[in-house]
Amino acid sequence: MDTVLFDLDGTLTDPKIGITTCIQYALNQLDYDAPETDQLLWCIGPPLTVSFAKLLQTTDQIMIDRAITLYRERFATVGLFENVLYPQIPETLKLIRAAGYQTYIATSKPHVFAKRILEHFEITALFDGIYGSELDGTRSDKGELIRHILLAENLSPDTTVMVGDRSHDAIGAKKNQLLAIGVTYGYGTEEELRIHGVDLIANYPMEITKYL
């Protein structure tokens, strides 16, 4: 193995307050009763289109897009900074880099926001590239995103690992024949990760280095 792709939300950072508060803001603006924070934790990881479709109980793309616009209205100025790095993340990344691995961000979050978050935490230099979705939803599917990264960076699936905390990370990795490491300190359970095919489980960030 010579390359590691990292999910962002729930893997490197804990975005609980920012994401849930922005969802509540969007729903309130649409005159919907917003669930309590702890009832929205399942929304951390999946694309916003999927989450709002379930929350609004609709397939109306116009309504879903309106909700996403309202979400980003708050997220772009406040929400993306309501976020913290998980303990051991900088040290873990530095060890992986020192061992000679290439590292990339692979997040369903729009890459314009991902870049600002990494800059905020001053860890941009620990990555060879930052990849995410486009604002129009292009490459929000983790499988499509990983495929794009492999092609853009000329990476081999045989030597690339995907690290993430949700089923979407595992599914995306397996669609592209990647080894998958699931982390349990984020928002996915070990059961969710194993059901969707992760090869290894890390219970804390530094454990990732042991597997590599």
Side-chain angles (χ1 to χ4, degrees):
M1 296 295 157
D2 58 23
T3 305
V4 187
L5 308 183
F6 283 97
D7 174 47
L8 181 59
D9 294 339
T11 300
L12 300 180
T13 72
D14 183 351
K16 174 182 175 179
I17 300 303
I19 289 178
T20 57
T21 304
C22 290
I23 289 174
Q24 290 165 338
Y25 170 81
L27 293 175
N28 288 332
Q29 292 295 109
L30 292 171
D31 293 324
Y32 277 75
D33 290 330
E36 296 295 321
T37 297
D38 287 343
Q39 294 177 307
L40 291 171
L41 299 186
W42 62 271
C43 298
I44 300 175
L48 284 174
T49 299
V50 174
S51 298
F52 276 119
K54 291 181 180 179
L55 288 165
L56 298 170
Q57 297 185 329
T58 185
T59 57
D60 183 347
Q61 196 59 49
I62 293 176
M63 180 177 286
I64 293 169
D65 288 345
R66 175 61 180 152
I68 292 173
T69 297
L70 289 165
Y71 171 97
R72 289 176 178 162
E73 183 178 282
R74 186 181 185 280
F75 189 82
T77 55
V78 180
L80 78 169
F81 300 123
E82 295 172 324
N83 199 353
V84 295
L85 281 177
Y86 284 113
Q88 303 180 345
I89 287 301
E91 297 84 351
T92 298
L93 292 170
K94 287 174 184 176
L95 280 174
I96 291 171
R97 298 279 294 178
Y101 287 87
Q102 297 183 83
T103 51
Y104 295 89
I105 291 292
T107 175
S108 296
K109 184 186 295 300
H111 62 84
V112 293
F113 294 142
K115 288 177 181 177
R116 290 178 63 191
I117 290 168
L118 295 177
E119 289 167 358
H120 174 68
F121 289 120
E122 300 181 343
I123 58 172
T124 306
L126 297 176
F127 296 94
D128 294 287
I130 302 167
Y131 287 87
S133 64
E134 300 297 332
L135 290 171
D136 65 1
T138 302
R139 289 191 290 275
S140 59
D141 175 82
K142 193 58 69 81
E144 293 177 7
L145 177 66
I146 292 173
R147 189 177 311 115
H148 172 70
I149 298 170
L150 294 175
L151 291 172
E153 298 292 342
N154 194 28
L155 303 175
S156 169
D158 295 334
T159 57
T160 303
V161 183
M162 178 69 210
V163 180
D165 71 311
R166 299 303 307 269
S167 60
H168 303 79
D169 301 303
I171 293 168
K174 291 308 163 184
K175 281 183 178 178
N176 291 281
Q177 293 78 53
L178 268 60
L179 185 80
I181 298 177
V183 302
T184 58
Y185 55 82
Y187 287 92
T189 63
E190 181 171 346
E191 180 182 18
E192 172 187 335
L193 292 164
R194 291 198 183 281
I195 285 173
H196 290 93
V198 296
D199 301 284
L200 299 163
I201 292 288
N203 296 302
Y204 52 92
M206 203 63 79
E207 195 168 13
I208 299 167
T209 65
K210 295 181 180 180
Y211 294 139
L212 295 175

